[in-house]
Amino acid sequence: DSGVTQTPKHLITATGQRVTLRCSPRSGDLSVYWYQQSLDQGLQFLIQYYNGEERAKGNILERFSAQQFPDLHSELNLSSLELGDSALYFCASSVSLAALNEQFFGPGTRLTVL
Amino acid sequence: ELKVEQNPLFLSMQEGKNYTIYCNYSTTSDRLYWYRQDPGKSLESLFVLLSNGAVKQEGRLMASLDTKARLSTLHITAAVHDLSATYFCAVGRYGGATNKLIFGTGTLLAVQP
């Protein structure tokens, strides 16, 4: 158990809908990362927050957005869902932005869009 | 743009045999991570390699890093069935404001009895 929690574990929804994925980092970790894992794209970095501020964006669609709250938990919002958004979404956390900081991954949320 | 390539993509090996997974990356980085993923599960950190020539070993797995060649290897010694999983390498992309990871394609390892 990495100490990173994600809810829900599974999510099944329809095209066009909007969902919110939630992540709580390890105690003391200020940085949160979101990654998407799919069969065709592999593991891709989406976005990173540090202490409430966005720090980096990867291959994140405009239909997707995220935020990190004062208590450091983060939410990833996915809207106008398409079939191709079906994937495993991971959250990871690390203590800071320092290059040496290891990232610890949560259990993931499996999103299925029908 | 940083690219990370792993080979092979799939590896079927017999118990007791040795093999190596290769991870090549396209631009300079001095941080290389290896993760293990079981089907449908999260990523488990195996090794963090932070400098040229770094070598780390845990059980039957040994990882090394050659930053000049932009190459990391994960060597499996005397494989056992429990090692069956997908192995990912990831390169740390530190750019001042971020330390995001760029992942390789993954190597699916199947150890046959």
Side-chain angles (χ1 to χ4, degrees):
Chain A
D1 184 354
S2 67
V4 179
T5 60
Q6 289 186 249
T7 57
K9 197 169 184 178
H10 301 278
L11 201 46
I12 301 174
T13 188
T15 55
Q17 296 298 305
R18 182 180 190 276
V19 296
T20 297
L21 313 183
R22 183 188 168 106
C23 166
S24 292
R26 294 186 318 157
S27 177
D29 284 1
L30 298 178
S31 197
V32 169
Y33 313 75
W34 286 97
Y35 293 87
Q36 179 196 57
Q37 185 177 32
S38 62
L39 281 175
D40 53 344
Q41 298 290 330
L43 258 168
Q44 285 196 105
F45 167 75
L46 293 179
I47 197 163
Q48 177 192 3
Y49 278 82
Y50 175 76
N51 204 19
E53 291 186 8
E54 181 186 304
R55 285 292 181 159
K57 268 187 173 180
N59 297 324
I60 187 166
L61 300 171
E62 285 190 11
R63 301 183 284 108
F64 297 0
S65 65
Q67 58 185 130
Q68 187 179 26
F69 295 87
D71 68 351
L72 300 178
H73 90 272
S74 177
E75 293 181 355
L76 179 66
N77 301 296
L78 315 176
S79 61
S80 303
L81 285 167
E82 301 175 359
L83 295 177
D85 297 328
S86 295
L88 197 48
Y89 291 85
F90 287 109
C91 167
S93 73
S94 67
V95 171
S96 72
L97 294 174
L100 305 182
N101 281 168
E102 190 174 354
Q103 292 181 26
F104 295 88
F105 283 74
T109 294
R110 181 169 295 282
L111 173 66
T112 302
V113 182
L114 301 175
Chain B
E1 182 186 338
L2 174 59
K3 291 190 177 179
V4 184
E5 293 182 351
Q6 279 181 245
N7 67 82
L9 295 183
F10 177 70
L11 179 55
S12 178
M13 55 191 300
Q14 287 186 317
E15 281 191 327
K17 299 292 186 183
N18 304 332
Y19 210 82
T20 301
I21 299 171
Y22 297 89
C23 174
N24 291 274
Y25 53 98
S26 61
T27 62
T28 302
S29 175
D30 59 1
R31 293 176 297 126
L32 196 293
Y33 304 82
W34 284 95
Y35 286 89
R36 169 183 170 143
Q37 186 181 35
D38 291 304
K41 302 293 184 181
S42 185
L43 292 120
E44 174 193 353
S45 178
L46 294 175
F47 299 107
V48 180
L49 303 169
L50 298 175
S51 60
N52 187 40
V55 177
K56 289 197 174 179
Q57 182 162 7
E58 181 73 34
R60 301 174 188 275
L61 301 178
M62 183 174 72
S64 66
L65 177 62
D66 181 344
T67 58
K68 293 178 182 175
R70 296 178 189 166
L71 171 69
S72 179
T73 61
L74 181 66
H75 186 73
I76 303 150
T77 302
V80 293
H81 181 68
D82 285 353
L83 289 179
S84 296
T86 299
Y87 293 85
F88 290 94
C89 65
V91 178
R93 188 66 170 161
Y94 182 61
T98 179
N99 50 347
K100 65 185 181 185
L101 295 179
I102 306 299
F103 281 87
T105 48
T107 296
L108 175 58
L109 173 65
V111 181
Q112 313 295 337

